[in-house]
Amino acid sequence: MADETAGALKPMKATSDGVFQGENPLNSALPLAILQICIVVVLTRVLAFMLRPLRQPRVIAEIIGGILLGPSALGRSTVFLNTVFPKQSLTVLDTLANIGLLYFLFLVGLELDLRAIRRTGTSALAIAVAGISLPFIMGIGTSYILQQTVARGVPTGPFLVFMGVALSITAFPVLARILAELKLLTTDLGRMAMSAAAVNDVVAWILLALAIALSGSGSPLVSLWVLLTGACFILAAFFFLRPILNWMARRSPEGEQVKELYICVTLAIVLAAGFATDTIGIHALFGAFIVGIIVPKEGPFAGVLLEKVEDLISGLFLPLYFVSSGLKTNVMTIKGGDSWSLLVLVVGTACIGKIGGTLIASLVVRVPLREAVTLGFLMNTKGLVELIVLNIGKDRHVLNDETFAILVLMALITTFITTPVVMAIYKPARRGPPYKNRAVERANPNDEFRMMACFHSTRNIPTIINLMESSRGKRKRGITVYAMHLVELSERSSAISMVHKARRNGMPFWNRRCNGDGGVDQLVVAFETYQQLSRVSIRAMTAISDLHTIHEDIVTSAHQKRAALIVLPFHKLHQMDGHMESLGDQYQHINQRVLHHAPCSVGILVDRGLGGAAQVAASDVSYTIVVIFFGGRDDREALAYGRRMVEHPGIALHVLRFSPQTDAGDCTTDDAFLEDFRTNVTNGNESVQYEEKQVAGKAEVIEAFKAAGRCNLFLVGQGAPCTPLADRSTDDCPELGPVGSYLALPEFSTVASVLVMKQYDPTAKHYDLVEEVAEIAVDVDTPGPSNRGTNTSFRVG
């Protein structure tokens, strides 16, 4: 029997000779590791997708995925376990998982700024101390109960410390993700939570080092030596490693690429530091974490390190750690009423200790009750750091199988409830002052025209700038444009850093980064160059948010900036062969939600390259714009915008009016509007052509469109009273209306862009995201205190 066991655990060879040589690839380490990684990645991503409607961070899916692959679910099948996760493969799996974890802790250290922690206010510091102390004490009390029931025979001292640390930890990266998801990261509440969590993170690692030292099998003197040597390592890192990293950071200035040698040296230092702390006996993770902390945060050096490492580590290697943990988690060991009662006790103790401690401290420092309760639930977030503590405790035989399973479920439950509870109890008021000009059509055309132009990528920039140039008019109070870059909030750590930098620097994150060629970002260059050459005032912005909620950033910013028009990019991109390729339904839903909630008029731009692929100088502008006018509020808005655009000397306007198909009231309003247009714009203006058409059906309307000739831009109303022109099978864009949907078809045109206008109707029912309060005074050029979004703005130039 012993021989059989020894044979079964015989080390695997690295690679297989292949199935044609009669070998099973799963008996070799590399093919098996590849299969394990693929299974883990697919399973966790599927779970993350399923949990998206619940707004859960990905760490929840990874913890659940690890548990499902372990002996609690799929691992109950010995065939599955022996085939996919045989015992002889676990050393390779654990090694890969710990390498991923090593670099992930390095990334966590990169996100922590010691100077920010030193600047932590007394309020956040008091909240952090209370949020650690009370659950730590309650964790020690709970450990005595566990020792009398499911944890008999474990060493008392280390067990007390591990329990205290397990209950008092706040997962800094997971908290940052949840705050960003809920648009709270840059609010006062979010900043206080992040400051307290940063202090909590550092203290938790110190306590964990103490727990590891105490859990050694040697004498107390050995534990003392481990602690003292660990302290010496930290000092050596600050006094010897930090100057080296500072030197490399200084030689990596803004606007230049970071040398590959510096990246390689830094990553090697991480491994060397991990080796040193593992040799000392306080786990390799500490060395990596310390190196991340001492890397200089100024300049591009830290950001480039983050970008180089995070996708590979977070995407492929880190999920292996959750599987490694899940293989040790057997929920089935929690049997009987007593065991489940202990789970309830541990979860209750963790919540009461963390939430209660944070709540008491928050009230003492005069945080309002609702914010204090919210802060308590946010600080109760667990995650990967919790699993690290538990796995170290299990590996050191401080935690047995049942205690380990109870604590893993506690971490899962406390993190799972955070997002829904915070969404339920804390809905910060978004308030703003009312304003007058919410449409292009207005009583006084000379009032300042404010427009918000949104874009997804650099591809939209030339058209946006050419549209700005065409819209500037010649009035004394010209045009102010807010160019908003819409960025999806990803799971990457760098996405959270971008939000922080945007808020701290008062400018979009992409203003401080370099492109692959080492030049200054072309986004900023484009706006700076255009503003210097024109009379248009531009303020660039960025919104970093989940695609499901980014419309809130657009709408609240438009209200705050008192915009009269929001221009949104169509969700389909024009390709070289003329067809339109969709970015996805999510981008279409963004436009539909903005239309639903907008505080002003909205235009959806079908971009076919207005002016070409580059910015056109003002003296070279030569566009023909066609306004399709059937009648109604939206068509009047389109014509009002065309009236403004024809003031530009390089623009010719062709108004094509079709026979009235609206009710008498609208016809009267349309006739008065058109009469004013003909009197004040058309007469004596060779740049304007006005034409009326009598049509009997769909075919004649389409023929009239084609007869209008080649043009650069169509301006149409969304709610034009016209029968559908496109076939139902191709009309999948209700936000464009009947005319816009047809003009957007590649069969109609491959050169003319289309701007579909939806006028703000003050008499219609509105689903406002901003409560208008007259006494609130907000500087429209800077984010207001009540803004929940992650927007920032800056004046270009």
Side-chain angles (χ1 to χ4, degrees):
M1 187 70 179
D3 291 338
E4 290 178 7
T5 304
L9 295 179
K10 182 180 178 180
M12 292 178 159
K13 66 176 186 176
T15 58
S16 166
D17 292 333
V19 293
F20 295 110
Q21 300 295 328
E23 283 195 10
N24 183 355
L26 298 184
N27 291 333
S28 302
L30 180 60
L32 184 58
I34 293 172
L35 177 65
Q36 290 169 344
I37 292 174
C38 292
I39 289 175
V40 171
V41 170
V42 170
L43 178 61
T44 54
R45 293 298 172 130
V46 169
L47 289 172
F49 177 78
M50 293 171 62
L51 292 171
R52 284 303 301 151
L54 299 178
R55 311 280 289 273
Q56 293 296 329
R58 197 169 73 199
V59 67
I60 292 291
E62 290 168 333
I63 294 175
I64 295 174
I67 293 174
L68 291 178
L69 291 173
S72 302
L74 294 175
R76 294 179 67 81
S77 167
T78 54
V79 175
F80 173 82
L81 203 60
N82 293 333
T83 302
V84 182
F85 296 104
K87 290 184 178 179
Q88 60 267 36
S89 73
L90 296 185
T91 301
V92 175
L93 179 67
D94 287 343
T95 301
L96 290 174
N98 277 281
I99 288 176
L101 190 62
L102 192 80
Y103 279 109
F104 181 78
L105 265 296
F106 167 67
L107 297 180
V108 173
L110 273 179
E111 293 182 64
L112 284 176
D113 190 344
L114 287 181
R115 294 178 308 167
I117 294 176
R118 285 197 298 267
R119 292 195 301 267
T120 299
T122 55
S123 298
L125 186 61
I127 291 170
V129 172
I132 295 172
S133 304
L134 186 57
F136 190 88
I137 295 170
M138 294 183 70
I140 291 176
T142 306
S143 66
Y144 283 108
I145 299 175
L146 293 176
Q147 275 193 308
Q148 301 301 317
T149 51
V150 297
R152 294 187 180 92
V154 298
T156 302
F159 185 66
L160 298 182
V161 179
F162 267 101
M163 282 296 299
V165 173
L167 269 62
S168 61
I169 276 179
T170 296
F172 181 81
V174 180
L175 175 63
R177 170 66 195 178
I178 291 174
L179 288 170
E181 174 84 15
L182 299 179
K183 304 183 188 298
L184 297 175
L185 188 61
T186 54
T187 63
D188 291 339
L189 179 72
R191 284 191 289 270
M192 185 171 291
M194 289 296 286
S195 298
V199 175
N200 190 301
D201 217 27
V202 173
V203 173
W205 283 105
I206 295 172
L207 292 175
L208 181 57
L210 174 63
I212 293 174
L214 292 175
S215 63
S217 57
S219 66
L221 188 61
V222 173
S223 299
L224 179 62
W225 273 112
V226 169
L227 287 174
L228 291 176
T229 311
C232 291
F233 168 80
I234 295 174
L235 293 175
F238 274 89
F239 286 107
F240 297 107
L241 287 181
R242 193 172 190 179
I244 297 173
L245 295 169
N246 279 331
W247 181 81
M248 289 190 290
R250 287 196 303 271
R251 295 177 66 86
S252 305
E254 295 279 0
E256 296 184 14
Q257 284 187 320
V258 178
K259 292 184 179 179
E260 181 268 342
L261 177 63
Y262 297 164
I263 302 294
C264 183
V265 168
T266 305
L267 298 181
I269 289 174
V270 173
L271 293 175
F275 175 80
T277 51
D278 191 74
T279 303
I280 292 170
I282 53 173
H283 210 286
L285 304 178
F286 284 92
F289 182 67
I290 294 298
V291 173
I293 285 178
I294 64 176
V295 169
K297 305 304 187 289
E298 304 84 3
F301 187 61
V304 171
L305 283 170
L306 201 62
E307 291 178 0
K308 296 287 185 185
V309 177
E310 65 178 337
D311 284 344
L312 179 63
I313 296 303
S314 300
L316 289 182
F317 288 103
L318 190 62
L320 294 179
Y321 189 78
F322 292 95
V323 175
S324 176
S325 176
L327 291 172
K328 303 171 189 174
T329 307
N330 189 356
V331 178
M332 299 304 167
T333 59
I334 308 175
K335 291 185 269 187
D338 291 343
S339 295
W340 288 104
S341 298
L342 289 172
L343 173 62
V344 174
L345 173 67
V346 171
V347 173
T349 303
C351 292
I352 293 171
K354 197 71 174 181
I355 298 171
T358 304
L359 176 62
I360 293 171
S362 301
L363 294 176
V364 169
V365 297
R366 298 182 180 179
V367 175
L369 179 60
R370 179 178 294 182
E371 282 82 352
V373 174
T374 305
L375 199 54
F377 277 96
L378 289 170
M379 295 298 290
N380 197 35
T381 302
K382 312 294 182 192
L384 179 62
V385 180
E386 176 82 4
L387 287 189
I388 294 171
V389 172
L390 300 181
N391 277 278
I392 292 174
K394 192 168 192 311
D395 293 340
R396 300 266 173 154
H397 306 292
V398 176
L399 304 176
N400 60 23
D401 289 345
E402 189 170 354
T403 309
F404 181 79
I406 288 173
L407 292 174
V408 168
L409 290 181
M410 178 271 295
L412 182 64
I413 293 169
T414 54
T415 306
F416 190 89
I417 66 174
T418 299
T419 301
V421 169
V422 171
M423 290 176 63
I425 67 175
Y426 186 66
K427 297 177 181 177
R430 288 172 291 180
R431 297 179 177 178
Y435 66 101
K436 181 177 64 173
N437 292 321
R438 296 174 182 259
V440 182
E441 182 188 359
R442 55 187 64 182
N444 184 3
N446 293 318
D447 285 347
E448 181 188 21
F449 179 54
R450 290 176 172 267
M451 178 174 77
M452 176 171 287
C454 303
F455 59 95
H456 296 300
S457 66
T458 56
R459 180 172 177 168
N460 305 125
I461 298 297
T463 295
I464 291 293
I465 291 181
N466 291 333
L467 187 65
M468 292 179 192
E469 172 61 28
S470 305
S471 308
R472 63 182 171 88
K474 60 183 181 182
R475 291 139 184 170
K476 291 183 179 179
R477 301 191 67 185
I479 178 174
T480 298
V481 179
Y482 300 94
M484 176 175 275
H485 190 189
L486 306 179
V487 182
E488 181 181 8
L489 176 66
S490 70
E491 292 281 351
R492 292 176 173 143
S493 299
S494 58
I496 309 300
S497 299
M498 289 173 186
V499 178
H500 272 301
K501 289 178 181 178
R503 189 69 178 188
R504 184 175 66 245
N505 297 337
M507 58 188 66
F509 71 91
W510 33 261
N511 189 37
R512 304 295 298 169
R513 295 177 58 194
C514 306
N515 59 25
D517 299 326
V520 180
D521 198 299
Q522 57 185 310
L523 294 172
V524 177
V525 170
F527 287 123
E528 285 180 341
T529 303
Y530 173 64
Q531 179 164 261
Q532 291 169 1
L533 297 175
S534 72
R535 295 188 295 112
V536 177
S537 176
I538 305 175
R539 288 159 177 81
M541 308 171 68
T542 183
I544 308 173
S545 186
D546 187 89
L547 292 183
H548 288 90
T549 59
I550 201 167
H551 68 281
E552 297 177 9
D553 299 281
I554 300 171
V555 170
T556 54
S557 295
H559 190 284
Q560 185 185 52
K561 305 304 180 186
R562 301 179 186 177
L565 176 66
I566 301 172
V567 176
L568 300 169
F570 189 45
H571 71 280
K572 294 181 180 180
L573 292 178
H574 181 246
Q575 303 301 311
M576 294 296 293
D577 59 0
H579 83 279
M580 305 291 283
E581 182 176 341
S582 176
L583 292 172
D585 292 341
Q586 288 181 313
Y587 292 90
Q588 182 181 17
H589 295 157
I590 291 172
N591 293 350
Q592 292 173 348
R593 293 187 189 107
V594 172
L595 283 167
H596 191 63
H597 296 284
C600 60
S601 293
V602 178
I604 298 179
L605 178 64
V606 181
D607 181 10
R608 291 191 175 111
L610 177 63
Q615 174 188 341
V616 178
S619 58
D620 297 330
V621 169
S622 180
Y623 302 149
T624 299
I625 297 174
V626 174
V627 177
I628 306 295
F629 193 97
F630 283 89
R633 178 182 294 275
D634 296 343
D635 281 10
R636 292 197 297 272
E637 186 76 350
L639 183 54
Y641 194 36
R643 177 175 179 171
R644 181 180 186 91
M645 297 178 83
V646 79
E647 294 177 8
H648 195 290
I651 288 180
L653 182 66
H654 181 189
V655 180
L656 192 59
R657 189 199 183 188
F658 292 89
S659 56
Q661 300 180 26
T662 58
D663 58 55
D666 271 343
C667 284
T668 302
T669 308
D670 291 341
D671 290 341
F673 183 79
L674 289 170
E675 180 62 30
D676 177 72
F677 175 79
R678 287 195 297 267
T679 302
N680 295 308
V681 180
T682 304
N683 292 341
N685 191 342
E686 296 181 354
S687 298
V688 181
Q689 178 185 355
Y690 181 85
E691 182 180 359
E692 292 195 2
K693 291 276 187 181
Q694 296 289 332
V695 293
K698 171 181 171 180
E700 293 186 14
V701 172
I702 293 174
E703 187 62 32
F705 287 173
K706 293 180 178 179
R710 294 176 63 85
C711 68
N712 302 96
L713 178 68
F714 281 99
L715 289 176
V716 301
Q718 186 216 43
C722 172
T723 57
L725 303 176
D727 295 334
R728 290 188 178 182
S729 59
T730 58
D731 184 12
D732 56 351
C733 307
E735 68 273 15
L736 296 184
V739 179
S741 294
Y742 177 75
L743 296 178
L745 293 176
E747 293 81 7
F748 174 74
S749 173
T750 58
V751 294
S753 298
V754 183
L755 184 61
V756 180
M757 304 291 290
K758 174 68 175 177
Q759 187 181 64
Y760 177 79
D761 185 358
T763 63
K765 182 179 180 180
H766 293 286
Y767 301 89
D768 297 327
L769 295 176
V770 180
E771 179 187 355
E772 294 191 347
V773 181
E775 60 268 19
I776 289 183
V778 179
D779 181 356
V780 296
D781 291 334
T782 56
S786 61
N787 188 5
R788 290 177 61 221
T790 56
N791 311 337
T792 58
S793 65
F794 74 107
R795 177 67 180 263
V796 181

